[in-house]
Amino acid sequence: MNELLIDRRDDGVVVLTLNRPDRRNAMTDGMTEQWRQAITDLRRDRDVRCVVVTGAGSAFCAGGDLSWLAERGVESVPDLRDRMLGFYRTWLAIADLEVPTIAAVNGAAVGAGLCFALSCDLVYAADEARLAVPFTSLGLHPGMAATYLLPRVAGVGVAREMLLTGRTMRGAEAASAGLVTRAFPRESLMAEVLETASGIAANAPIATRLTKVALAGGGHADLDAALRWESLAQPVTMTSADMLEGLAAQRERRAPRFGNS
């Protein structure tokens, strides 16, 4: 079974769909391996301008498939540590792509599934999507960088409530709390996401990639660090063909036609 669907659109947008609706798109070993290969391929593809990830069926992602824990004998902590670290890094590799990424949370995003979504640059959720990180209710410490991603995205207060109580947020509330970027009715979510992705894909690729780097980790440490970065990154774009095309398009009152450099 193809557990990850890849749709390469003509405008440079690539849509990745987690495709195990029968398991609410839980991160199985098969899906994890297909995800690893897909991200490796996207990293080398200079035609990609924006990546969207969503889930097939009614859920976004139910998180890690932990059925193997019950099926196997007791493993040592070092062995489990190596397994989990590899799993985390495989899924969170989407954050290392040079192009902008968008999570379209069409339904439930639970545990590692929610953390995975939060590792994207933008997170758009269906109004009624259920978002939760119920690790402790399963007897587990949080994983998939939950103790980093939730405080960074929504603040320590929201992170504490969600991680300590396991409370579920709906998409609309999550948008108000700053946990996701915006929320939309489920029936219009993908149309809104693809419109945004197409707009990003139409922008200058060099400037877009450098801007993503500048915003990584929540932005620069202080004003001077920002000025030092921008005084180098902006001249890089000033010498690019993209800038000449952008200025020409503005002068001629037409849409710019940027290359893939």
Side-chain angles (χ1 to χ4, degrees), residues 105-128:
V105 182
N106 54 301
V110 181
L114 176 57
C115 299
F116 161 61
L118 296 181
S119 71
C120 294
D121 297 308
L122 299 171
V123 185
Y124 295 132
D127 284 334
E128 294 303 313

Side-chain angles (χ1 to χ4, degrees), residues 6-216:
I6 303 174
D7 177 21
R8 296 175 180 271
R9 296 162 54 92
D10 293 339
D11 57 3
V13 175
V14 176
V15 180
L16 304 177
T17 303
L18 309 183
N19 188 39
R20 281 301 301 268
D22 58 315
R23 301 285 297 275
R24 298 172 69 234
N25 302 318
M27 297 156 155
T28 64
D29 287 345
M31 183 187 290
T32 300
E33 185 52 42
Q34 290 180 32
W35 179 262
R36 186 198 315 276
Q37 187 58 56
I39 294 299
T40 298
D41 294 344
L42 290 174
R43 194 174 282 122
R44 295 193 294 250
D45 191 339
R46 305 305 295 178
D47 292 329
V48 177
R49 300 286 190 88
C50 185
V51 173
V52 173
V53 60
T54 193
S58 61
F60 174 74
C61 179
D65 176 16
L66 297 180
S67 60
W68 56 271
L69 281 173
E71 296 168 356
R72 297 158 67 120
V74 176
E75 297 184 55
S76 69
V77 168
D79 287 343
L80 288 168
R81 183 259 187 193
D82 290 345
R83 178 186 177 107
M84 297 315 299
L85 188 58
F87 174 73
Y88 301 153
R89 286 177 170 164
T90 295
W91 282 99
L92 297 180
I94 192 171
D96 297 329
L97 291 179
E98 291 184 350
V99 298
T101 57
I102 305 174
V105 182
N106 54 301
V110 181
L114 176 57
C115 299
F116 161 61
L118 296 181
S119 71
C120 294
D121 297 308
L122 299 171
V123 185
Y124 295 132
D127 284 334
E128 294 303 313
R130 293 170 49 253
L131 314 178
V133 277
F135 291 102
T136 56
S137 65
L138 297 174
L140 292 170
H141 186 281
M144 195 65 85
T147 54
Y148 168 77
L149 290 167
L150 268 75
R152 188 195 70 165
V153 172
V156 174
V158 171
R160 282 176 175 154
E161 182 180 27
M162 293 193 72
L163 289 168
L164 295 176
T165 72
R167 187 171 79 83
T168 297
M169 275 195 188
R170 297 287 182 174
E173 182 187 2
S176 297
L179 185 64
V180 304
T181 310
R182 295 178 66 185
F184 298 99
R186 190 179 193 279
E187 59 271 17
S188 62
L189 174 65
M190 281 306 296
E192 295 283 357
V193 168
L194 291 175
E195 181 178 359
T196 299
S198 294
I200 291 172
N203 290 334
I206 295 174
T208 299
R209 291 184 182 121
L210 288 173
T211 300
K212 173 166 177 170
V213 172
L215 296 172

